[in-house]
Amino acid sequence: TRREGIALLNEAVRHYRRCLQVDVDHPDARHNLETIRLWTKQMREIWAQRDRERRREELNLIEYLVMLWDEQREIRQMTKSLGEELASPQQRRAATLLQQRQALLLEEIDPLREKLLAELQQSSGASPNGSSAPPADPEIERALTEMVESCRAALSRAAGDLATRDFAMARQ
């Protein structure tokens, strides 16, 4: 459905651009092109958010951790290669995209904490019939919360370092 919708919008864009070739100042064509651009951008963001939420739900804790680890490792590798390049508009654009990816990864911290605590609850003796499980060991819960917060701080620092183009610090 997404592809079909985007294909139809692309067809409309082609028609509006042809209209602008005939009349460069056609106000409706300009307005409609901008409306399509903004709507498409918004829908892509909504679809991406829904896809991230679906992925969170479908992956078990280990798969989720591996996915987060792989994403962070890829960001680090790309950051390293950016640090080796000379400053350029392409490097700035790539750094901005990496910063956005890092920010999206940062958004995964709260769901990670929820998955960890749910797993801890389950492993502490939750009964299969749905009755309430005894509370998880508070020490383990505190340690997990500290680890998650440490990850949040590190990801946040990395996003800030990418924003300031401090590639060496962002890799750490």
Side-chain angles (χ1 to χ4, degrees):
T1 303
R2 291 180 191 181
R3 285 188 197 119
E4 291 172 11
I6 295 297
L8 289 172
L9 286 172
N10 287 337
E11 180 71 20
V13 165
R14 281 191 293 278
H15 289 294
Y16 289 127
R17 286 189 177 150
R18 281 191 215 127
C19 179
L20 289 173
Q21 288 173 345
V22 173
D23 179 4
V24 179
D25 295 323
H26 195 286
D28 289 339
R30 289 195 178 284
H31 172 77
N32 291 341
L33 278 171
E34 182 63 10
T35 300
I36 289 172
R37 186 188 69 78
L38 292 173
W39 186 87
T40 303
K41 180 181 178 194
Q42 181 181 11
M43 288 310 299
R44 287 183 195 273
E45 290 170 5
I46 290 169
W47 291 334
Q49 179 64 29
R50 286 183 185 165
D51 291 345
R52 284 191 303 275
E53 289 170 2
R54 187 177 314 120
R55 183 181 60 216
R56 284 181 204 136
E57 292 170 9
E58 291 173 354
L59 297 176
N60 67 37
L61 178 60
I62 300 299
E63 293 167 334
Y64 190 62
L65 285 168
V66 168
M67 185 267 306
L68 295 175
W69 177 266
D70 289 345
E71 177 70 12
Q72 183 60 39
R73 186 182 52 200
E74 186 176 324
I75 290 171
R76 276 189 172 160
Q77 289 171 344
M78 293 173 80
T79 300
K80 180 180 179 186
S81 66
L82 273 181
E84 296 167 354
E85 294 178 14
L86 295 175
S88 68
Q90 292 84 5
Q91 184 203 44
R92 286 189 295 277
R93 175 73 177 138
T96 299
L97 292 174
L98 279 178
Q99 180 188 0
Q100 291 169 352
R101 284 180 66 183
Q102 189 72 53
L104 288 174
L105 199 56
L106 184 58
E107 289 179 13
E108 298 295 332
I109 293 298
D110 287 330
L112 171 62
R113 182 178 184 277
E114 291 171 18
K115 276 188 173 286
L116 284 167
L117 293 177
E119 187 74 22
L120 181 60
Q121 279 296 105
Q122 191 175 13
S123 68
S124 69
S127 65
N129 64 6
S131 63
S132 63
D137 183 341
E139 286 298 312
I140 295 174
E141 190 171 330
R142 184 181 58 73
L144 284 174
T145 299
E146 286 177 10
M147 287 186 328
V148 167
E149 291 309 313
S150 175
C151 289
R152 181 190 316 275
L155 291 174
S156 184
R157 273 192 311 275
D161 292 336
L162 284 167
T164 60
R165 309 294 188 261
D166 189 345
F167 301 120
M169 288 301 294
R171 285 195 316 265
Q172 297 178 6

